[in-house]
Amino acid sequence: GIISKSQALMVARGDLGVELGVNRVPFAQKLLIARAKQAGLFVITATQMCESMIKAPVPTRAEVSDVANAVWDGTDAVMLSGEAASGQYPLNAVRTQASVCREAESVKHRLRRACPPVEAATVMPPMLHVSMGNKRQETDQSLRRTKVVASLGPASWSEDMIPKMIRAGTDIFRLNCSHRRGGDFERVYPLIRKYAAQLGRKVECLGDLQGPKFRVGEVEGGTSASIKLTEGDILEFGICRDDNDLIKPGRITMKSTTEQNALFKAARAGIDLLIEDGLMKVHVIEKVSDTELKVKVIQGGFLKARKGVNVPDVEIDCAALTEKDIEDAEFLLQLDPPIEYICVSFAQKAQDLQELIDIMDRLKIPKEKRPKICPKIEKPQALTNIDGIISKSQALMVARGDLGVELEVERVPFAQKLLIKKAKEAGLFVITATQMVESMIYQPVPTRAEIADLQNSVWDGTDAVMLSGEAASGDFPLEAVR
């Protein structure tokens, strides 16, 4: 009846989520879009599309995924509310929406061939009716097959919190080796096994190796100091000549390490270096030597000490496992009972995983006690070399954080669908990670975009979804798991 009197329709997910329950909105959204399009109506999808951009200049991975999936569902328009009306970055929000929509449109025809189950047909199947969006919410957690991976940290790894996290629904605990220090893992690991046994729950553990990290050095003036990078400026960008070669106006430096020296050796004129998750960008205009570059600032900002550097356009010739990774892997491999998964960060090719296999061989780890190898797909090169990577793996993580920096966030949702499909066809266990419910670091409830992103990941076929800061350091770790 509503459609018969209408020429357009808005899926207003705000109050709909309040009245229907936020967990039921993504399914209702798909049904509403399909039915309205069948009737020839113009469809707008609205509310919390890029909510984080009220205060941040870039969207979360969940928000980008939500917008892209709305386009693939068939929406004609996506709407900004507070992001454009009262936010700090209205122009960025509009540009982001437009960019994500265009990217989603550009690959929609490929989805029909590559991932037919995820394409929303323009003709609604006869067995589905929009009223099915009113179905009761499924609350029997014993029926849930998709696993919840929770990262451990100060908010969740106390003896009091571990059993609460298990009761809330954690299936796999992530031990992030980037933060392995002071005996925390030695204390926490037995607690996980103890309380899982007491509660009669199957709970697994995942060790996440840090991998090679690239960071700028220290800034002249101390840890709180910064230098301004202005668009169009020409700068020096090099390895520190000595301990006094700090970052200052006109020069950016990085400390000399095996990995960072390899970065400069691989660099060439014409590539981009992304700083602080892509907030700043410089373009290499000249390679002066294997330790010195001349760069032009493409996207400026204020550069502080030890910010991360990404190099999407080159495959860096260095070992996948650093000295720290080898030490951490040896620790993880000797845990009793054996850990179930070990993640290799920034895997680019099959050989990167062979390094971990070689450590298992050296330690003479029996086949039945070896953890599943789980490469984290974070670099564009991994997409090219995915067959070799899968051949050495038993699991796979779609690590959308660095992948979004290197690939650009607009391209991640399509890559995510392709990776999940490819890995599932090979029989791998798939984890989708990064910014799943990022807003829950500070809020007890997720946004509509985050709920839609989670459910679309499940519909894509992921076996698990992972919480990072939401569980490790957030204010609401139990609510995030639930």
Side-chain angles (χ1 to χ4, degrees):
I2 292 173
I3 284 178
S4 69
K5 300 287 188 181
S6 309
Q7 295 78 46
L9 181 142
M10 181 183 291
V11 184
R13 306 184 306 179
D15 280 293
L16 184 63
V18 175
E19 304 232 346
L20 196 63
V22 289
N23 292 345
R24 298 160 70 192
V25 169
F27 182 51
Q29 174 179 316
K30 290 181 184 292
L31 294 175
L32 284 164
I33 291 174
R35 181 67 187 92
K37 294 300 292 179
Q38 185 184 47
L41 271 60
F42 181 87
V43 182
I44 304 168
T45 302
T47 317
Q48 294 185 325
M49 302 298 290
C50 290
E51 181 90 346
S52 72
M53 295 191 74
I54 291 175
K55 295 181 178 180
V58 293
T60 67
R61 305 305 185 263
E63 290 165 342
V64 172
S65 174
D66 175 42
V67 173
N69 276 288
V71 172
W72 292 328
D73 287 344
T75 195
D76 296 295
V78 288
M79 191 175 92
L80 296 168
S81 300
E83 306 96 329
S86 57
Q88 296 174 23
Y89 302 96
L91 297 179
N92 297 52
V94 171
R95 291 190 191 107
T96 293
Q97 291 275 62
S99 181
V100 175
C101 289
R102 182 64 198 109
E103 180 62 27
E105 291 164 356
S106 75
V107 298
K108 187 173 182 179
H109 67 289
R110 297 180 186 273
L111 280 179
R112 297 188 179 99
R113 297 195 300 272
C115 310
V118 304
E119 185 210 355
T122 54
V123 178
M124 187 168 54
M127 72 289 297
L128 291 181
H129 190 275
V130 172
S131 63
M132 289 186 68
N134 281 318
K135 68 173 281 296
R136 288 186 178 182
Q137 182 172 331
E138 181 56 68
T139 57
D140 185 352
Q141 289 299 310
S142 68
L143 298 176
R144 174 171 56 83
R145 293 193 297 272
T146 306
K147 308 294 185 185
V148 174
V149 184
S151 301
L152 285 171
S156 54
W157 64 13
S158 68
E159 184 163 4
D160 178 57
M161 282 296 291
I162 293 291
K164 291 179 180 178
M165 292 289 283
I166 294 173
R167 290 191 193 99
T170 300
D171 301 290
I172 302 172
F173 281 109
R174 173 187 177 230
L175 303 174
N176 184 358
C177 291
S178 297
H179 307 298
R180 182 187 163 222
R181 60 178 67 90
D184 285 320
F185 287 9
E186 290 83 348
R187 175 186 61 81
V188 167
Y189 192 77
L191 293 177
I192 295 170
R193 301 307 189 183
K194 170 186 170 182
Y195 286 111
Q198 284 185 9
L199 295 168
R201 289 282 304 277
K202 180 185 177 182
V203 177
E204 297 179 312
C205 291
L206 177 153
D208 192 346
L209 303 177
Q210 176 178 290
K213 291 283 187 181
F214 305 102
R215 297 186 183 279
V216 300
E218 303 298 328
V219 176
E220 196 172 64
T223 54
S224 61
S226 65
I227 66 160
K228 185 178 182 181
L229 303 185
T230 303
E231 185 176 327
D233 281 358
I234 306 298
L235 312 173
E236 296 176 359
F237 199 129
I239 293 291
C240 292
R241 300 178 184 123
D242 54 48
D243 291 344
N244 296 317
D245 190 10
L246 306 178
I247 297 172
K248 57 189 176 184
R251 180 167 175 78
I252 301 172
T253 56
M254 297 174 71
K255 290 182 178 179
S256 177
T257 67
T258 300
E259 294 78 28
Q260 300 197 154
N261 288 337
L263 182 157
F264 275 82
K265 189 173 181 179
R268 62 182 185 274
I271 69 167
D272 292 328
L273 303 178
L274 308 176
I275 305 171
E276 196 177 347
D277 292 337
L279 290 180
M280 288 163 275
K281 180 194 293 189
V282 298
H283 183 74
V284 178
I285 57 176
E286 181 184 348
K287 182 169 184 175
V288 179
S289 70
D290 279 348
T291 59
E292 288 288 332
L293 307 172
K294 186 174 289 186
V295 302
K296 180 178 181 179
V297 178
I298 303 300
Q299 192 167 303
F302 288 89
L303 178 61
K304 293 185 177 181
R306 299 192 55 73
K307 294 302 180 183
V309 177
N310 290 82
V311 192
D313 300 325
V314 296
E315 185 171 315
I316 299 168
D317 186 18
C318 65
L321 303 184
T322 65
E323 289 183 17
K324 171 177 166 53
D325 293 328
I326 293 170
E327 179 187 325
D328 290 336
E330 290 172 347
F331 166 78
L332 294 171
L333 289 166
Q334 294 179 67
L335 288 170
D336 186 29
I339 198 164
E340 285 83 5
Y341 303 88
I342 293 184
C343 285
V344 177
S345 295
F346 302 104
Q348 300 180 80
K349 54 189 182 299
Q351 178 56 35
D352 295 344
L353 307 177
Q354 185 63 45
E355 293 179 28
L356 179 57
I357 296 171
D358 291 344
I359 295 174
M360 295 187 205
D361 291 342
R362 172 166 56 81
L363 295 177
K364 296 181 169 58
I365 306 296
K367 295 289 185 185
E368 68 275 10
K369 292 189 175 182
R370 294 192 174 195
K372 295 180 177 69
I373 295 175
C374 180
K376 294 170 68 176
I377 307 303
E378 304 176 85
K379 293 186 71 66
Q381 291 78 13
L383 303 181
T384 303
N385 301 326
I386 194 64
D387 289 326
I389 290 171
I390 284 177
S391 71
K392 300 281 187 181
S393 309
Q394 295 79 48
L396 181 142
M397 182 184 291
V398 184
R400 307 184 304 179
D402 278 284
L403 185 62
V405 175
E406 302 229 352
L407 195 64
E408 296 178 343
V409 291
E410 294 90 341
R411 298 162 68 192
V412 169
F414 183 50
Q416 174 179 317
K417 291 183 186 294
L418 295 175
L419 284 165
I420 292 173
K421 182 174 184 289
K422 180 74 172 176
K424 294 297 291 180
E425 287 173 349
L428 272 59
F429 181 85
V430 182
I431 303 169
T432 302
T434 317
Q435 295 184 328
M436 301 301 291
V437 286
E438 181 89 349
S439 70
M440 294 191 75
I441 292 175
Y442 304 111
Q443 297 174 10
V445 294
T447 67
R448 306 303 187 265
E450 290 165 342
I451 292 288
D453 172 48
L454 271 169
Q455 294 193 8
N456 275 294
S457 296
V458 173
W459 293 328
D460 287 346
T462 195
D463 295 293
V465 290
M466 192 175 93
L467 299 168
S468 299
E470 305 98 329
S473 57
D475 295 339
F476 302 96
L478 297 176
E479 289 83 351
V481 171
R482 293 190 191 110

